[in-house]
Amino acid sequence: MANAIRALAMDAVQKANSGHPGMPMGAADIATVLFTKFLKIDPRQPNWPDRDRFVLSAGHGSMLLYAVNYLLGYEDMTIEQIKNFRQLGSITAGHPEYGHAAGVETTTGPLGQGISTAVGMALAERLLAARFGEKIVDHFTYVLASDGDLMEGVSHEAIGLAGHLKLSRLIVLYDDNEITIDGALSLSESGDALKRFEAAGWNATRIDGHNPAEIAAAIEKAQKSDRPSLIACRTVIGYGAPNKRGKSSSHGSPLGDDEIVLARETLHWNAEPFVIPNETLDAWRIAGLRNVKARKNWEEQLAALPAETRIDFERRIAGDLPADLGKAIAAFKEKLVAEKPKWATRKSSEEALNIINSVLPDTIGGSADLTGSNNTRSKGQQAVTAEDFSGSFIHYGIREHGMAAAMNGLALHKGFIPYSGTFLVFTDYCRPAIRLSALMGQRVIYVMTHDSIGLGEDGPTHQPVEHLASLRAMPNLLVFRPADAVETLECWQLALESKDAPSILALSRQNLPAVRTENSEKNLCARGAYELVPASSKAKVSLLATGSEVEIAVAAQKMLEKEGIPARVVSMPCLDLFDRQSSDFQKEILGEDTVKIAIEAAVRYGWDRYIGADGDFIGMTGFGASAPAPELYKHFNITPEAAVAAAKARLEEKS
Ligand SMILES: Cc1ncc(C[n+]2csc(CCOP(=O)(O)OP(=O)(O)O)c2C)c(N)n1
């Protein structure tokens, strides 16, 4: 049965003339034992909520997963798909991509991400079990990881978190083949992986990864453990290829026709390429049917739940929001408009969360050790511990990257809307995982506070300047930068409603005045930008601003009007959403025939498309500095006076 995986992998890679045969051939025995004896999945119901999750962290070995899914009988994974490995339009992408093929639980390829995402899945399992009981939620998360996965720094964060939370249903099978691309692992590694995991609170053991009995015994033991488990499976990369086995040459290129002929002889595999002998295919297909009964039993358990609980479970798995959320948000908006609080937007976010978390049980909050700064913990929110998963706040520790990856896992598992915080400048530390949130279209909400030089004294190491631009450049990521409490609430609502895209909420450390002083039932942030302050007559100047600089735009508008220059203010909380609007809408909002002055305490990159040829930009041109925020705004010339001067100079040039 394992040779069926090997044959499909070497033949598909050969046909595609690209790919990675070594890993699937080496790990075929591990996968065969896992998928035919342990993994609780039903290929005919690939989204069964209580299925075990399998994460191929070594995503370059994608053919292993495609081969297994074909062999098990996933309907979409036909032999034609296997033959079209790595071709445009096929579901068999170079690296496994979430949403392409059933049974692919997460996108992998960037090493370290899979194992770290799996930590979030295993966490989700415990959290959901604490809410709905183990009759409904009771599954394992298995990972197949490579040397590269364990060498990547993010794995350190992930295993630390998993060990701390005692995620005992997380089982990592480590393809311990001692080979990477450059050659022997010993070229660059002399650490002891097992000791590292043990030190993080895991069980760790080493077995022969080609011995089915040892593999099965190790998994059985791991299933009973009270901690997460690492099973280092000593394997030979490219197992079966007589000249390339054990060598990095089998890692990432086709074996070649001659070597494949020899591998067929070595493995006693006589079938033609892409043909699996009936006997072997039948054995796999029967294994694929193993859990039909368990799945049906589970459906009965679900049906037996009180109707309200069942409906809530189904809603959460579907990712829908409860009906009363919109009402709660609308009522709070009215209150904010009336009270006009002068809060930092991070505080506004906390207040929004107090409302949201009281009506939305799906949220799982957190912070990378900046809870009091990020304001991500709402009233009464209990911390999750290894002993008690009923809480909804995670102390991720100083593990931004691991946190972001875990949030992907929480979202992918389904049942939760993860949000968590750090400083905006440290989105750099999360970026590979943010990119995967965006690529996979996952509703992960990044609460990123201290969003500019406005954070003040901590200085340029902590002051983001290029981050907004670089995050806005990422496809399918919504970057929100609200200006006051009402906008913050509206942006939170949009982030929650954005089922297929992650969001960044860039929030201020410093207090900001209320700029939205009239109630609007409509979410004015929904189209990305809107006219906040109209001109007294036909506008000559449009002041475009985001977040904390909207206040500056409002002051500049008043000054211009006083001087007889009709000016308007446009608040632009989400450029990504604004860019999706019709060009007529964009022109109208930006103000045709006006001089456009954009104000943002960040770099100009990306703003010229709104400013046009005769406008100007007030913002940063380099790194910030350490000083109180008001002084920094003056020092870097991000002031109403500077905006007025720029507007007047540009108007003069025009006339
Ligand atoms: C973050 C990241 N860096 C680099 C790569 C490119 N890459 C793919 S596999 C690999 C290492 C291969 O070694 P190992 O993880 O042991 O896999 P094996 O050779 O056993 O297949 C590298 C560097 C990657 N996929 N992700």
Side-chain angles (χ1 to χ4, degrees):
M1 289 171 85
N3 284 346
I5 299 175
R6 295 188 172 104
L8 287 172
M10 65 184 182
D11 290 337
V13 170
Q14 191 64 35
K15 179 156 191 287
N17 199 23
S18 92
H20 303 76
M23 187 272 174
M25 295 178 81
D29 295 309
I30 307 169
T32 303
V33 172
L34 179 66
F35 277 88
T36 63
K37 292 201 162 30
F38 292 96
L39 207 74
K40 186 179 77 172
I41 48 168
D42 181 354
R44 290 184 305 182
Q45 292 288 332
N47 297 323
W48 171 22
D50 197 34
R51 69 192 179 280
D52 286 343
R53 304 304 196 266
F54 172 75
V55 173
L56 182 69
S57 195
H60 59 275
S62 55
M63 260 315 300
L64 176 126
L65 187 51
Y66 303 149
V68 164
N69 285 358
Y70 164 67
L71 293 166
L72 285 171
Y74 277 87
E75 260 175 32
D76 60 346
M77 193 54 73
T78 60
I79 199 70
E80 287 310 311
Q81 292 289 352
I82 303 274
K83 288 182 187 167
N84 279 322
F85 179 50
R86 295 193 149 216
Q87 305 310 307
L88 194 64
S90 75
I91 62 171
T92 44
H95 293 82
E97 289 192 49
Y98 178 76
H100 288 211
V104 174
E105 301 283 4
T106 180
T107 296
T108 51
L111 290 165
Q113 291 296 326
I115 184 172
S116 310
T117 303
V119 169
M121 293 178 180
L123 175 58
E125 193 269 347
R126 286 294 79 198
L127 292 168
L128 207 58
R131 285 149 178 76
F132 291 94
E134 289 195 354
K135 281 189 179 163
I136 301 299
V137 187
D138 178 15
H139 57 263
F140 288 94
T141 301
Y142 294 96
V143 179
L144 184 51
S146 66
D147 295 308
D149 286 304
L150 303 197
M151 289 174 95
E152 289 292 351
V154 66
S155 77
H156 173 76
E157 300 180 22
I159 69 171
L161 186 63
H164 175 71
L165 290 173
K166 294 199 174 72
L167 299 177
S168 59
R169 283 141 186 272
L170 176 62
I171 300 176
V172 175
L173 296 142
Y174 162 34
D175 180 31
D176 180 17
N177 63 21
E178 299 186 291
I179 289 290
T180 67
I181 293 177
D182 279 1
L185 181 66
S186 59
L187 285 173
S188 56
E189 176 67 79
S190 35
D192 184 328
L194 273 71
K195 283 193 184 144
R196 186 160 77 93
F197 277 76
E198 276 169 359
W202 289 53
N203 280 318
T205 179
R206 175 168 278 121
I207 58 158
D208 174 356
H210 295 299
N211 181 327
E214 277 190 39
I215 299 165
I219 296 175
E220 259 166 39
K221 197 164 163 225
Q223 286 185 335
K224 293 185 194 117
S225 168
D226 60 350
R227 309 149 168 239
S229 296
L230 174 80
I231 305 172
C233 307
R234 184 49 59 80
T235 61
V236 177
I237 192 169
Y239 184 97
N243 299 304
K244 297 199 172 176
R245 71 196 296 275
K247 293 185 187 153
S248 59
S249 55
S250 72
H251 161 88
S253 19
L255 296 179
D257 290 330
D258 296 345
E259 182 75 356
I260 287 178
V261 168
L262 295 175
R264 280 193 145 69
E265 278 173 21
T266 309
L267 296 169
H268 308 293
W269 187 266
N270 303 318
E272 293 296 304
F274 304 106
V275 174
I276 306 299
N278 283 341
E279 203 186 341
T280 309
L281 189 58
D282 285 351
W284 270 103
R285 293 282 153 96
I286 288 166
L289 297 171
R290 270 170 41 247
N291 296 301
V292 173
K293 204 165 155 233
R295 194 253 306 158
K296 286 189 176 153
N297 284 345
W298 179 86
E299 282 166 359
E300 281 167 21
Q301 298 283 0
L302 183 70
L305 285 180
E308 210 179 306
T309 314
R310 179 176 51 77
I311 289 166
D312 191 41
F313 181 83
E314 286 171 342
R315 176 192 67 72
R316 290 178 61 155
I317 296 295
D320 296 331
L321 298 171
D324 46 356
L325 178 67
K327 269 183 257 155
I329 288 177
F332 188 50
K333 188 149 109 180
E334 238 177 277
K335 185 165 177 269
L336 290 173
V337 168
E339 292 179 359
K340 304 178 184 43
K342 194 174 167 10
W343 291 330
T345 48
R346 62 180 171 139
K347 166 78 176 154
S348 301
S349 169
E350 179 185 342
E351 295 292 337
L353 281 170
N354 282 337
I355 301 300
I356 291 162
N357 288 346
S358 69
V359 286
L360 183 64
D362 316 36
T363 44
I364 294 291
S367 170
D369 198 47
L370 290 167
T371 303
S373 300
N374 302 143
N375 301 54
T376 42
R377 191 166 181 172
S378 64
K379 229 181 267 162
Q381 206 174 11
Q382 294 299 311
V384 171
T385 67
E387 288 71 42
D388 184 359
F389 287 89
S390 65
S392 61
F393 188 85
I394 315 283
H395 289 288
Y396 285 101
I398 308 99
R399 300 185 178 105
E400 295 85 358
H401 196 180
M403 169 178 86
M407 287 205 286
N408 282 337
L410 282 161
L412 286 162
H413 179 279
K414 301 206 186 316
F416 295 104
I417 302 175
Y419 74 86
S420 192
T422 181
F423 292 150
L424 181 63
V425 78
F426 301 135
T427 49
D428 287 341
Y429 276 54
C430 310
R431 197 170 171 105
I434 296 176
R435 188 169 191 272
L436 284 182
S437 317
L439 180 61
M440 294 190 281
Q442 291 304 297
R443 177 171 45 188
V444 174
I445 303 174
Y446 297 92
V447 182
M448 298 302 187
T449 68
H450 298 58
D451 70 346
S452 75
I453 54 162
L455 66 86
E457 294 84 343
D458 272 345
T461 55
H462 284 50
Q463 292 161 352
V465 287
E466 78 280 27
H467 297 75
L468 290 168
S470 80
L471 290 164
R472 285 172 183 147
M474 195 183 286
N476 201 39
L477 171 67
L478 299 175
V479 180
F480 293 102
R481 190 163 186 256
D484 73 354
V486 172
E487 277 199 7
T488 304
L489 182 66
E490 288 186 340
C491 291
W492 255 112
Q493 182 173 29
L494 294 168
L496 291 169
E497 287 171 356
S498 160
K499 256 176 111 166
D500 302 324
S503 301
I504 303 256
L505 294 169
L507 304 172
S508 76
R509 173 184 184 236
Q510 72 275 32
N511 286 342
L512 302 174
V515 293
R516 283 281 292 283
T517 50
E518 273 168 51
N519 198 32
S520 128
E521 270 176 40
K522 259 187 30 199
N523 185 325
L524 296 185
C525 297
R527 297 172 87 176
Y530 63 95
E531 185 179 83
L532 176 69
V533 184
S536 58
S537 55
K538 191 174 174 340
K540 288 195 170 152
V541 175
S542 294
L543 297 151
L544 319 175
T546 75
S548 45
E549 285 71 69
V550 171
E551 174 185 12
I552 293 172
V554 170
Q557 188 265 353
K558 285 205 183 97
M559 289 162 68
L560 285 166
E561 288 277 353
K562 231 183 212 167
E563 293 190 38
I565 303 169
R568 56 198 282 278
V569 176
V570 177
S571 180
M572 303 188 73
C574 186
L575 304 187
D576 306 277
L577 289 175
F578 184 63
D579 289 347
R580 292 182 197 171
Q581 308 306 316
S582 69
S583 72
D584 283 352
F585 177 83
Q586 292 185 8
K587 274 188 210 150
E588 184 198 322
I589 294 295
L590 292 173
E592 266 186 299
D593 304 326
T594 61
V595 159
K596 296 171 196 74
I597 307 296
I599 317 169
E600 183 168 69
V603 297
R604 179 174 182 141
Y605 202 90
W607 275 99
D608 283 280
R609 66 192 192 278
Y610 310 117
I611 297 168
D614 53 3
D616 211 342
F617 180 75
I618 304 291
M620 299 293 289
T621 53
F623 294 116
S626 167
E631 281 179 41
L632 288 175
Y633 272 89
K634 275 189 214 129
H635 176 74
F636 290 109
N637 223 13
I638 306 175
T639 60
E641 291 77 15
V644 168
K648 280 163 60 178
R650 287 310 199 158
L651 277 174
E652 216 160 279
E653 273 172 35
K654 225 175 138 185
S655 63

